[in-house]
Amino acid sequence: MEKIDEVALRAKQSLQEAGSLTDLERFYASYLAKKGEVSALLSHMKELPPQEKAAFGKEVNELKKGLSEAYEAKKSELEAEALKKKLEAERIDISLPGDSLNSGHPNPFRLIIDEVTDIFLDMGYEVYSGRDVETDLYNFELLNVPEDHPARDMQDTFYLDANRLLRTQTSAAQAHAMKERGGLTPIKMISPGKTYRRDDDDATHSHQFAQIEGLVVDKNISLANLKATLELFAKKMFGPKREIRLRSSYFPFTEPSVEVDVSCFNCGGKGCSICKGSGWIEILGAGMVNPKVLQMCGYDPEVWSGFAFGVGVERVAMLRYGIDDIRRFYTNDYRFLKEFKAK
Ligand code: PHE
């Protein structure tokens, strides 16, 4: 019995001192396992007189049961503690700054084209794709710019061979659209795309730039329709308070022709550096489709009339984003381009 007490005392102490699951397993191996000290106590049975055997066996079994229960309890306690420590160590600190991925985003120039396109899609226009390589016929002749016309000098051209050229204006798409419709159905389209001119590059000129052409051909189309359309466009693009003003101008393919100004979105018309003190900013060229052009492209000018306009994409983007140099659109400087990520 003394031996039992002695083992019990050591076992309890060992259990109490176990500070980790490894200590606890060591305790189990020493006392409770098959070859542990508690089972070993039973080997003393044979040394005992028969009348004491039962009491001795009972005592050992009780010790074993008590220690087993204490062991289980301690085990859950240590496991819970270990789990808590682990969670603590693996905690995610959501206040730490994240790693930002360098994802792509549209060029500012693309953003403007998309914005303008959306405005006209809302007004029921379709998008017509023109082509970069044109013939003299579509870029000039059908637009009432014959061979010897001085307007050809305004648009110094990159020729690929005697007949093919890089288009100098998206207006070439007007002629294609009209020819394709065969003079039969109304047209209400815009056509964004690249254009090319033999210009010396500087802050406001680029040999490659982009335009968005607009063309409406239907019955009873008037200058009032053109004005209303462009006014709505200017308000949606530059703000609801914007007004437009038409100034007389000249393009061979429109008659009459106008230059369209929008009231300055920066100063509201008072005069500032953006509008160069005038309160107005020129944004596009437009006019009523010249009857000669309708005729050449297959639309009877006695029946049909139309208007057309051409917006300079870079110019709008420069005004809109306060960009000072057109070359920025084409030099792919990432520091510049990334400014437009959020927009
Ligand atoms: N094509 C003209 C230009 O490049 C712009 C324009 C388009 C003018 C349509 C009138 C009508 O300057």
Side-chain angles (χ1 to χ4, degrees):
M1 287 295 183
E2 254 167 58
K3 181 75 183 161
I4 296 177
D5 288 345
E6 189 260 324
V7 171
L9 194 70
R10 271 195 291 113
K12 280 178 191 152
Q13 195 169 353
S14 160
L15 190 60
Q16 204 169 27
E17 283 169 3
S20 68
L21 285 165
T22 339
D23 292 348
L24 195 65
E25 287 321 307
R26 217 171 280 139
F27 156 82
Y28 187 89
S30 312
Y31 295 96
L32 290 173
K34 262 200 189 112
K35 289 181 180 161
E37 289 198 50
V38 178
S39 303
L41 285 171
L42 293 173
S43 65
H44 296 295
M45 287 261 254
K46 56 183 182 299
E47 300 156 18
L48 294 172
Q51 69 276 22
E52 283 177 24
K53 280 188 186 179
F56 182 85
K58 199 176 161 225
E59 192 73 16
V60 173
N61 279 334
E62 254 155 39
L63 174 62
K64 191 165 186 171
K65 196 169 162 243
L67 285 177
S68 295
E69 278 167 13
Y71 162 81
E72 289 301 338
K74 182 97 185 193
K75 192 173 170 189
S76 345
E77 186 189 305
L78 287 175
E79 274 170 355
E81 217 166 89
L83 180 66
K84 200 174 148 206
K85 260 193 205 144
K86 194 169 172 211
L87 290 177
E88 206 60 55
E90 290 173 6
R91 181 205 296 251
I92 294 169
D93 183 351
I94 56 165
S95 69
L96 283 173
D99 288 335
S100 58
L101 293 174
N102 252 337
S103 60
H105 58 92
N107 187 286
F109 162 83
R110 183 78 242 164
L111 292 173
I112 294 288
I113 293 181
D114 287 349
E115 206 174 321
V116 174
T117 302
D118 281 348
I119 291 171
F120 283 99
L121 286 177
D122 282 350
M123 292 195 243
Y125 283 64
E126 63 178 298
V127 176
Y128 180 88
S129 296
R131 50 210 90 182
D132 286 24
V133 174
E134 273 299 352
T135 55
D136 196 86
L137 179 68
Y138 282 92
N139 194 79
F140 292 124
E141 299 270 344
L142 291 173
L143 297 172
N144 194 32
V145 190
E147 183 79 62
D148 53 357
H149 198 285
R152 290 209 179 193
D153 299 341
M154 279 159 57
Q155 302 189 357
D156 209 350
T157 311
F158 286 112
Y159 282 92
L160 301 174
D161 57 34
N163 186 39
R164 288 180 311 154
L165 50 89
L166 294 179
R167 69 173 168 192
T168 60
Q169 49 188 352
T170 47
S171 300
Q174 286 187 37
H176 279 291
M178 285 189 269
K179 282 275 190 191
E180 277 171 27
R181 298 295 158 92
L184 295 171
T185 52
I187 299 173
K188 202 173 170 188
M189 63 97 167
I190 55 162
S191 188
K194 295 191 187 91
T195 48
Y196 309 83
R197 288 181 200 176
R198 287 177 46 153
D199 258 332
D200 288 330
D201 292 0
D202 63 24
T204 53
H205 296 87
S206 167
H207 61 279
Q208 179 189 315
F209 54 105
Q211 293 184 327
I212 301 171
E213 194 75 10
L215 174 69
V216 172
V217 177
D218 205 337
K219 290 167 184 161
N220 305 315
I221 296 296
S222 72
L223 193 66
N225 297 133
L226 171 64
K227 192 177 177 196
T229 302
L230 294 178
E231 199 167 278
L232 190 56
F233 164 68
K235 285 183 195 298
K236 287 200 176 180
M237 194 72 198
F238 297 107
K241 296 215 178 97
R242 300 285 71 78
E243 316 248 310
I244 60 164
R245 142 179 119 167
L246 308 187
R247 278 180 295 112
S248 169
S249 183
Y250 174 76
F251 299 103
F253 35 90
T254 46
E255 182 58 38
S257 299
V258 290
E259 210 88 66
V260 181
D261 298 339
V262 61
S263 58
C264 182
F265 48 83
N266 187 50
C267 63
K270 280 186 236 99
C272 67
S273 65
I274 292 184
C275 60
K276 302 203 174 73
S278 74
W280 295 94
I281 298 172
E282 184 193 321
I283 52 163
L284 55 88
M288 300 306 292
V289 181
N290 191 321
K292 275 198 208 160
V293 171
L294 287 172
Q295 184 96 61
M296 283 188 281
C297 293
Y299 278 80
D300 180 354
E302 297 295 329
V303 181
W304 303 92
S305 54
F307 66 72
F309 55 87
V311 187
V313 175
E314 287 84 353
R315 181 162 171 78
V316 172
M318 286 166 85
L319 291 169
R320 180 61 176 270
Y321 298 134
I323 298 166
D324 57 350
D325 193 323
I326 194 170
R327 290 168 293 195
R328 290 195 184 281
F329 293 108
Y330 297 102
T331 42
N332 288 330
D333 182 338
Y334 188 63
R335 286 166 303 179
F336 167 74
L337 294 174
K338 74 175 187 220
E339 295 290 313
F340 297 89
K341 212 162 184 168
K343 298 185 182 103

